[in-house]
Amino acid sequence: VLLGLVVLGPLLSGGYLLLLDLPSGPHPGWSPLLPLPSDGLVIPNALVLNVLRPASFLSAELPAKFLIFLTILLAGAGMFRFLASTVGASTPAALAGGMFFAVNPWIYDRLLSGQLFLALAYAFLGWFLASLAAFTAGHRGALGRCCGWVVLIALVNVHVGGMAVMLLLAAIAVLPIRWRSRARLGALVVALLVAVNAFWLLPALFAGEGARI
């Protein structure tokens, strides 16, 4: 929390964040969940954008600044928890790992580029890795938690969601079970990712060339 507030502190003054890929302004619109002719294709993180939209009623500057704070908070806390509880690292080592996972040149470049949802999805990876480690250790219910994190991450950013799916598929591939059971689990995970993203995948697949641009 303290690290997030340190990063957020200079941004608490008034004004919009002028970042490369981040639209900013006083009247953000709703993101359509269906492909309307006036709006073009549905974007992958439309659901998350609409969840954040009510915050702009309080202040149009609030959502972007909140995302930056949330990214630092979740990235640091998630990696600290993973290193301390799952890996067994000492508290100082886990704190250092969490800090460098949350504040590093890659994150700085993503935030400066306005790719806030990519950075937020990255922040969930520490939490996902803890569930993935529990799954490979055979803990009951761990696969469900892994799939839950995959769904959440994919809704925030489909690219990081794909990374989480590949990690989960790699873990399934080395399970000490029959290859048919591994294949069924892998197919279930892929089907889950496709189903979660169907609201924008299907319109994109069947759109005409003009709508793809």
Side-chain angles (χ1 to χ4, degrees):
V1 174
L2 180 60
L3 185 60
L5 291 175
V6 169
V7 174
L8 183 65
L11 306 178
L12 291 178
S13 58
Y16 297 103
L17 299 179
L18 299 179
L19 305 173
L20 292 177
D21 295 335
L22 180 72
S24 60
H27 304 295
W30 294 94
S31 295
L33 299 180
L34 294 174
L36 303 177
S38 59
D39 295 305
L41 295 180
V42 180
I43 59 176
N45 59 349
L47 287 171
V48 181
L49 284 170
N50 287 333
V51 168
L52 291 173
R53 175 70 173 85
S56 63
F57 296 146
L58 299 175
S59 171
E61 307 166 13
L62 184 60
K65 297 178 180 181
F66 175 72
L67 281 176
I68 292 175
F69 171 74
L70 196 62
T71 294
I72 302 302
L73 174 64
L74 292 175
M79 186 53 65
F80 170 80
R81 175 177 174 269
F82 171 68
L83 293 175
S85 301
T86 305
V87 178
S90 64
T91 299
L95 282 172
M99 181 182 69
F100 288 118
F101 186 73
V103 179
N104 56 65
W106 187 85
I107 279 287
Y108 174 77
D109 189 55
R110 298 287 71 74
L111 297 182
L112 195 62
S113 298
Q115 298 170 355
L116 302 188
F117 291 101
L118 176 63
L120 179 61
Y122 161 89
F124 287 122
L125 287 179
W127 304 88
F128 168 71
L129 287 175
S131 296
L132 186 64
F135 169 62
T136 57
H139 294 184
R140 178 174 296 180
L143 179 59
R145 293 195 298 274
C146 286
C147 290
W149 283 117
V150 165
V151 169
L152 177 61
I153 294 171
L155 288 176
V156 175
N157 183 270
V158 67
H159 305 292
V160 185
M163 183 190 305
V165 166
M166 287 190 288
L167 289 172
L168 183 52
L169 291 177
I172 291 173
V174 297
L175 286 177
I177 58 177
R178 296 168 127 192
W179 71 267
R180 290 183 179 176
S181 298
R182 293 198 299 267
R184 281 196 295 267
L185 284 177
L188 176 65
V189 170
V190 173
L192 177 65
L193 182 68
V194 172
V196 167
N197 290 279
F199 71 96
W200 68 269
L201 273 176
L202 292 178
L205 288 174
F206 294 104
E209 290 301 321
R212 296 176 188 272
I213 300 176

